[in-house]
Amino acid sequence: MAKVQPRTLSGFMELLPARQAQFDRMADTLKKTYALYGFTALDTPLIEASEVLLAKGGGETEKQIYRFMKGDPDLSLRFDLTVPLAKYVAQNYANLTFPFRRFQIGKVYRGERAQRGRFREFYQADIDIIGDGKLDISNEAEIPSIIYKAFTAMGLKRFQIRVNNRKILNGFYAMLGLTEKSGDIMRTVDKLDKIGAEKVAALLVSEEIGLSQDQADEILKFIAIKGSNAEVLSALEGYRGRHELFDLGLDELNTVTKYLSAFGVPESHFAVDLTIARGLDYYTGTVYETTMLDHPEIGSICSGGRYDNLAEYYTDKQLPGVGISIGLTRLFFVLEDQGYLNDALNTAPADVLILPMTEDLAPAIALATQLRSAGIRTQIHAEQKKFKQKIGYADKLAIPYAVFLGEDEINAGVAAVKDMKTGDQVKLSADEAIAHIKAGLAKLNEGLPILDKGE
Amino acid sequence: MAKVQPRTLSGFMELLPARQAQFDRMADTLKKTYALYGFTALDTPLIEASEVLLAKGGGETEKQIYRFMKGDPDLSLRFDLTVPLAKYVAQNYANLTFPFRRFQIGKVYRGERAQRGRFREFYQADIDIIGDGKLDISNEAEIPSIIYKAFTAMGLKRFQIRVNNRKILNGFYAMLGLTEKSGDIMRTVDKLDKIGAEKVAALLVSEEIGLSQDQADEILKFIAIKGSNAEVLSALEGYRGRHELFDLGLDELNTVTKYLSAFGVPESHFAVDLTIARGLDYYTGTVYETTMLDHPEIGSICSGGRYDNLAEYYTDKQLPGVGISIGLTRLFFVLEDQGYLNDALNTAPADVLILPMTEDLAPAIALATQLRSAGIRTQIHAEQKKFKQKIGYADKLAIPYAVFLGEDEINAGVAAVKDMKTGDQVKLSADEAIAHIKAGLAKLNEGLPILDKGE
């Protein structure tokens, strides 16, 4: 028969089993952390009516959409989890209770040009808190504190959540009479890390944007404000009283900073950073980006912010909210690429491989049943293979324990339990074996998914 | 602004939060059970090259595929998890260890006509064991025993796994000299439940199939063999010695039946059933279907079987296997529809709602941090709302505990913990509160996801 070459599309991540186990462990850490903060899990369709998904329309994203016709007139694959959330909340408004806290970890699709480390199918892991009409400022501190806990629970250490407030930026530009140009200015300032202050200044006074040299200087002076959070906040106080929106933003930033500390985020892990703007007009208050301190070249691994109108394309209800999103597939790719994955953790499909040494499998099955009841992941190797091959199987898969069950053991009511790493072998009753194996597994699973050598 | 009507496509399941929690609990039970048997989790792309996905080609399924062009020439959404598994195993053959045991719970897509209880996007929950060249018969008993454990762990009671062997059927038709017609015959016999024996007989002797009356009688007599498993197996012994393939199939069925019992499946939950054939030519040995005894009209909720060539379209390697698949979305739909879901279980997004009664949130945040560290899902209600509205929030979401933290409590180092169901309120230290709440939650989470009143 003619064969078709089996292949996976470029830009689609498909992992070997041990890597998949590592990915899943990271995703599970996120799920657990999100759940601990009272977020409910949502699972929305991957396909939506194009009219619904693209209600906002325009932009770069639309060009990347996987869009097609079938039965229903016009369908699209979701490109993020925010638009489906907006649809969901507008559609189910009467059946939801606000503030509505949801998390979703799901695949999204963007038909980008294939490129190393860029994915066309990738997981986003989002949390959002949606208010009905109003939403308290404390949520804007809680959201990044959850990310801090989640990353820390994964084992990531050298990261920093950078916080700013759009009202401060918009208020500042209003002070300079540059409100109408603020979009252009923010997009330019956003390039600071990449092209440097001098080139940013040149762009600001260029014909295209058209600022005066004084205005450009003021802006560069403003975004050059650096230091500890207290220092930055104190420098910002120098601008107070010149514009209402600025003052409001500064109050918010003070409050968020205070609460971030109360929520247990150490100062080492968050920084007030006036260069953070987030491209989207959508954000109206606090904004976040998160960088890996040792890999700034990767850009933000987790971003979000406060918005005033989640679902304005679907409903007249005002639904303010705050949310943040981790690009999980890309983060995993980077962590693997940079050697951050903790390969010492158990990634075997089973904790125990039972090798029956008798023709009758019944004793092996009985033992497997006992181990499984105790929560031990157990496989029986029942294939007609040589002993050496069976042990090789446990070896290759890094299964931590092999259990031999021959006639002698069966008659004596014991099993021979072999620690595959140390080679130690002991004869134990089923109950003893369970205790022995569980203690060993606990040690083996002690580490965190990410091994961050920093700090 | 003109609004777009927010809507979800028909044939796509999108659940409200409490229902989603029930769905997730079922899926988690499956994941845990599958993992206990040493299956590794896979996650393959939802989009594949059409050439790869449709390598087998033809058939009803192809018409239902979501297929489109974008960047890459020709793409399709996966319509099951078996074809992607075949691709994966063929592609990664050198990096996998056999027998390769994988589970996958993922969404698949079929553009079927919209119909109540039929889904275009639905979860399949699959397990497969793939051998390299050979695979022991005991796997054919282990697979349905895992399904038995999984359904039982969910709370389902009144179900039966029906088992047959294609070699018995093929051997039997060979005895009658009807090998070439066996496909037509099996498809006709498959209608037995729906149209009855008389109409099946009429179809068999019709011009289209063209059996003699004797042959049709023999077939009907054969498939009429009923009774306990021992009785059916004993009746089958009467045919032994007439055809090699039949004898082999009967040996296999005897072995599978013996092991099913050893694997802990009670006779009430599996039946040797000679009418089970599974439409697909793909199956070559043991085949399974699973019915809900009180809802036979639903058809099989979990089906599969033994196959000899998983990946023949992609590789020359012979990869025999055995697998089974649960149509999870449809099963959930049926369980909800028929009132099987256990609504007494905790489906709230949080276990505890903390109501801070002071302006400073720091004490509430500190308490929340302690509760979360103890694994208690905790939300702080920090909105500027009246007390009654905040309590109403806990009530609406069925959050089991509300915790009040006013100045008196803070000064006394306690919190007022209210059981929202009984209304009982006690003042407790943080440690006492954790113990109190954990004990209550344990009771609340005692039940199983499905409440099967049968038996």
Side-chain angles (χ1 to χ4, degrees):
Chain A
M1 189 192 293
K3 306 295 176 196
V4 172
Q5 178 70 28
R7 66 181 191 278
T8 302
L9 293 164
S10 72
F12 288 69
M13 182 182 270
E14 191 175 59
L15 301 167
L16 283 169
R19 281 278 179 255
Q20 185 68 50
Q22 291 176 312
F23 182 94
D24 290 349
R25 200 173 265 140
M26 276 178 50
D28 283 346
T29 305
L30 282 179
K31 269 184 221 168
K32 264 187 209 155
T33 308
Y34 291 168
L36 277 178
Y37 283 78
F39 288 75
T40 198
L42 274 199
D43 182 15
T44 63
L46 276 96
I47 306 177
E48 302 273 4
S50 299
E51 187 204 13
V52 171
L53 204 66
L54 305 174
K56 194 176 179 176
E60 267 308 294
T61 316
E62 190 156 351
K63 290 182 207 148
Q64 303 175 344
I65 304 272
Y66 287 102
R67 189 170 177 172
F68 50 94
M69 315 287 262
K70 170 113 195 162
D72 306 78
D74 185 351
L75 306 170
S76 290
L77 297 186
R78 66 185 181 202
F79 55 89
D80 72 6
L81 300 176
T82 306
V83 176
L85 171 66
K87 180 214 76 173
Y88 182 91
V89 174
Q91 189 181 348
N92 297 298
Y93 174 83
N95 294 310
L96 299 178
T97 309
F98 295 89
F100 176 60
R101 296 159 79 96
R102 86 88 177 75
F103 78 85
Q104 183 162 8
I105 300 177
K107 287 178 172 177
V108 303
Y109 295 82
R110 296 190 194 171
E112 293 195 74
R113 204 177 281 266
Q115 205 180 328
R116 185 179 144 77
R118 285 271 160 203
F119 294 92
R120 293 173 176 170
E121 175 184 72
F122 57 97
Y123 276 96
Q124 288 194 332
D126 284 21
I127 40 174
D128 285 86
I129 307 175
I130 317 295
D132 186 8
K134 282 203 273 188
L135 190 69
D136 192 75
I137 179 81
S138 61
N139 295 292
E140 289 165 52
E142 192 177 27
I143 285 277
S145 81
I146 298 166
I147 295 302
Y148 169 75
K149 293 278 179 185
F151 280 156
T152 304
M154 282 181 188
L156 205 59
K157 289 177 183 165
R158 300 261 305 144
F159 66 94
Q160 193 173 48
I161 303 170
R162 300 181 180 197
V163 179
N164 194 9
N165 192 300
R166 286 292 291 255
K167 291 190 183 81
I168 288 182
L169 297 181
N170 292 333
F172 173 74
Y173 295 123
M175 278 179 213
L176 303 182
L178 292 172
T179 297
E180 275 169 34
K181 292 183 174 170
S182 66
D184 286 339
I185 298 172
M186 282 193 252
R187 268 185 293 279
T188 309
V189 166
D190 212 27
K191 295 173 187 160
L192 191 68
D193 280 354
K194 279 184 201 149
I195 64 174
E198 221 164 300
K199 283 191 184 157
V200 166
L203 283 172
L204 289 177
V205 298
S206 71
E207 212 169 318
E208 210 184 319
I209 304 186
L211 302 200
S212 72
Q213 191 61 48
D214 275 2
Q215 287 170 325
D217 288 347
E218 275 270 29
I219 289 166
L220 284 171
K221 189 183 133 203
F222 181 79
I223 58 172
I225 297 173
K226 301 267 170 196
S228 70
N229 294 334
E231 283 163 0
V232 174
L233 289 168
S234 156
L236 289 174
E237 287 298 333
Y239 293 84
R240 191 184 281 280
R242 289 169 59 185
H243 196 280
E244 206 182 344
L245 189 63
F246 180 94
D247 292 357
L248 181 58
L250 183 51
D251 289 344
E252 288 184 3
L253 191 58
N254 273 311
T255 307
V256 167
T257 301
K258 186 186 82 183
Y259 279 136
L260 263 167
S261 181
F263 275 114
V265 185
E267 172 126 5
S268 55
H269 283 72
F270 79 95
V272 176
D273 184 335
L274 300 178
T275 66
I276 306 294
R278 303 299 304 145
L280 302 164
D281 292 334
Y282 179 63
Y283 294 115
T284 53
T286 308
V287 284
Y288 323 102
E289 291 191 355
T290 312
T291 42
M292 286 176 71
L293 292 173
D294 301 324
H295 295 285
E297 76 281 4
I298 290 157
S300 177
I301 57 172
C302 176
S303 315
R306 155 86 188 205
Y307 41 86
D308 281 343
N309 266 309
L310 173 70
E312 59 179 326
Y313 299 96
Y314 307 121
T315 174
D316 283 325
K317 304 272 181 227
Q318 178 152 5
L319 301 166
V322 54
I324 204 162
S325 175
I326 299 173
L328 194 56
T329 300
R330 180 162 161 73
L331 176 60
F332 185 80
F333 171 84
V334 167
L335 292 171
E336 183 189 19
D337 199 45
Q338 301 290 334
Y340 277 77
L341 297 180
N342 182 357
D343 289 328
L345 289 180
N346 188 4
T347 55
D351 303 316
V352 170
L353 184 73
I354 297 182
L355 281 71
M357 324 283 276
T358 56
E359 209 185 321
D360 180 15
L361 292 179
I365 294 172
L367 179 61
T369 303
Q370 275 181 282
L371 295 179
R372 288 170 184 146
S373 300
I376 296 168
R377 301 174 307 145
T378 306
Q379 179 184 344
I380 301 168
H381 197 312
E383 304 307 305
Q384 307 299 318
K385 300 223 167 158
K386 288 183 185 140
F387 180 77
K388 214 178 152 182
Q389 285 176 301
K390 292 189 182 187
I391 273 288
Y393 182 85
D395 229 16
K396 268 193 216 159
L397 288 173
I399 296 175
Y401 292 95
V403 170
F404 313 117
L405 210 55
E407 280 201 26
D408 289 353
E409 285 86 10
I410 293 166
N411 291 335
V414 295
V417 179
K418 179 175 181 171
D419 183 322
M420 291 295 292
K421 243 187 203 154
T422 64
D424 292 347
Q425 191 170 319
V426 277
K427 292 207 175 187
L428 300 169
S429 72
D431 284 342
E432 289 165 345
I434 287 169
H436 178 76
I437 290 164
K438 280 197 147 184
L441 291 176
K443 263 195 201 160
L444 203 57
N445 292 322
E446 238 166 28
L448 301 178
I450 297 171
L451 212 59
D452 191 346
K453 284 156 201 145
E455 265 177 294
Chain B
M1 191 195 291
K3 306 296 177 195
V4 172
Q5 178 69 30
R7 62 181 196 279
T8 302
L9 293 164
S10 72
F12 288 69
M13 181 181 272
E14 190 176 60
L15 301 168
L16 283 169
R19 282 279 179 255
Q20 185 66 52
Q22 291 176 311
F23 182 93
D24 290 348
R25 200 174 264 138
M26 277 176 52
D28 283 344
T29 304
L30 283 178
K31 270 183 222 171
K32 264 185 211 158
T33 307
Y34 291 167
L36 276 177
Y37 283 79
F39 288 75
T40 199
L42 273 200
D43 181 16
T44 63
L46 277 98
I47 307 178
E48 302 273 5
S50 299
E51 187 206 12
V52 172
L53 204 66
L54 305 173
K56 194 176 180 177
E60 268 307 295
T61 315
E62 190 157 351
K63 289 181 208 148
Q64 301 175 345
I65 305 273
Y66 287 102
R67 188 170 178 172
F68 50 96
M69 315 286 260
K70 169 116 195 161
D72 304 78
D74 184 351
L75 306 170
S76 290
L77 296 186
R78 67 186 182 201
F79 55 90
D80 72 5
L81 301 176
T82 305
V83 177
L85 172 66
K87 179 213 76 170
Y88 182 92
V89 173
Q91 189 180 348
N92 297 297
Y93 174 82
N95 294 308
L96 299 177
T97 309
F98 296 90
F100 175 60
R101 297 158 78 96
R102 87 87 177 77
F103 79 86
Q104 184 164 6
I105 301 178
K107 287 178 172 178
V108 304
Y109 295 82
R110 295 190 193 171
E112 293 196 75
R113 205 177 278 264
Q115 205 180 327
R116 187 180 141 77
R118 284 271 160 204
F119 294 92
R120 292 171 177 172
E121 175 186 73
F122 56 97
Y123 277 95
Q124 287 194 334
D126 283 22
I127 40 175
D128 285 85
I129 306 175
I130 317 296
D132 184 9
K134 282 204 273 188
L135 189 71
D136 193 74
I137 180 81
S138 61
N139 295 292
E140 289 165 51
E142 192 177 27
I143 285 278
S145 81
I146 298 167
I147 295 301
Y148 168 76
K149 294 279 179 183
F151 280 155
T152 304
M154 282 183 189
L156 204 60
K157 291 177 182 167
R158 300 263 304 145
F159 68 93
Q160 195 172 50
I161 302 169
R162 301 183 180 194
V163 180
N164 195 9
N165 191 301
R166 286 289 291 256
K167 293 190 180 81
I168 289 182
L169 297 181
N170 292 334
F172 172 73
Y173 295 123
M175 279 179 211
L176 302 182
L178 291 172
T179 296
E180 277 168 34
K181 292 184 173 171
S182 65
D184 287 340
I185 298 171
M186 282 193 250
R187 267 184 293 280
T188 310
V189 166
D190 210 28
K191 297 176 186 157
L192 191 69
D193 279 353
K194 279 185 199 145
I195 64 174
E198 219 163 301
K199 283 192 184 156
V200 166
L203 282 172
L204 289 176
V205 298
S206 71
E207 212 168 317
E208 209 186 320
I209 303 185
L211 301 199
S212 71
Q213 191 61 48
D214 276 0
Q215 288 170 323
D217 288 347
E218 275 272 26
I219 290 166
L220 283 170
K221 191 183 134 205
F222 181 79
I223 59 172
I225 296 173
K226 302 266 172 202
S228 69
N229 293 335
E231 283 163 359
V232 174
L233 289 169
S234 155
L236 289 174
E237 288 298 334
Y239 292 84
R240 193 185 280 279
R242 289 169 59 187
H243 195 279
E244 205 181 344
L245 189 63
F246 180 95
D247 293 357
L248 181 57
L250 183 52
D251 288 343
E252 289 184 1
L253 192 57
N254 273 313
T255 307
V256 168
T257 301
K258 186 186 82 182
Y259 278 136
L260 263 167
S261 185
F263 275 113
V265 186
E267 173 126 8
S268 54
H269 283 71
F270 80 94
V272 175
D273 184 335
L274 300 179
T275 67
I276 305 293
R278 303 299 304 147
L280 303 163
D281 292 333
Y282 179 63
Y283 294 114
T284 52
T286 309
V287 284
Y288 323 102
E289 292 191 354
T290 312
T291 41
M292 287 176 69
L293 292 173
D294 301 323
H295 297 284
E297 76 280 5
I298 292 159
S300 177
I301 56 171
C302 175
S303 314
R306 156 86 189 205
Y307 42 88
D308 281 344
N309 266 309
L310 173 70
E312 59 179 326
Y313 299 96
Y314 307 120
T315 175
D316 283 325
K317 304 274 180 223
Q318 177 151 4
L319 300 166
V322 54
I324 202 161
S325 175
I326 300 173
L328 193 54
T329 300
R330 181 163 160 73
L331 177 60
F332 186 80
F333 172 84
V334 166
L335 292 171
E336 182 188 21
D337 198 48
Q338 301 289 336
Y340 278 77
L341 297 180
N342 183 359
D343 288 327
L345 288 182
N346 189 6
T347 56
D351 302 318
V352 169
L353 185 72
I354 297 183
L355 282 71
M357 323 285 274
T358 55
E359 210 186 317
D360 180 16
L361 292 179
I365 293 172
L367 179 61
T369 303
Q370 274 182 284
L371 296 179
R372 288 171 185 147
S373 299
I376 297 169
R377 300 174 307 145
T378 306
Q379 179 183 345
I380 301 168
H381 197 312
E383 304 307 306
Q384 307 298 321
K385 300 223 167 156
K386 288 183 185 141
F387 180 77
K388 214 178 151 181
Q389 284 176 301
K390 291 189 181 186
I391 273 288
Y393 181 85
D395 228 19
K396 268 192 214 160
L397 287 174
I399 296 175
Y401 292 95
V403 170
F404 313 117
L405 208 55
E407 281 202 24
D408 289 354
E409 285 87 7
I410 293 166
N411 292 334
V414 295
V417 179
K418 181 175 181 171
D419 183 323
M420 291 296 292
K421 242 187 201 153
T422 64
D424 293 345
Q425 192 172 317
V426 278
K427 291 206 175 186
L428 301 170
S429 72
D431 284 344
E432 289 167 346
I434 287 168
H436 177 76
I437 291 164
K438 281 197 145 182
L441 291 176
K443 263 195 200 162
L444 202 57
N445 293 322
E446 237 165 30
L448 300 178
I450 297 170
L451 212 59
D452 191 345
K453 284 156 199 141
E455 265 176 293

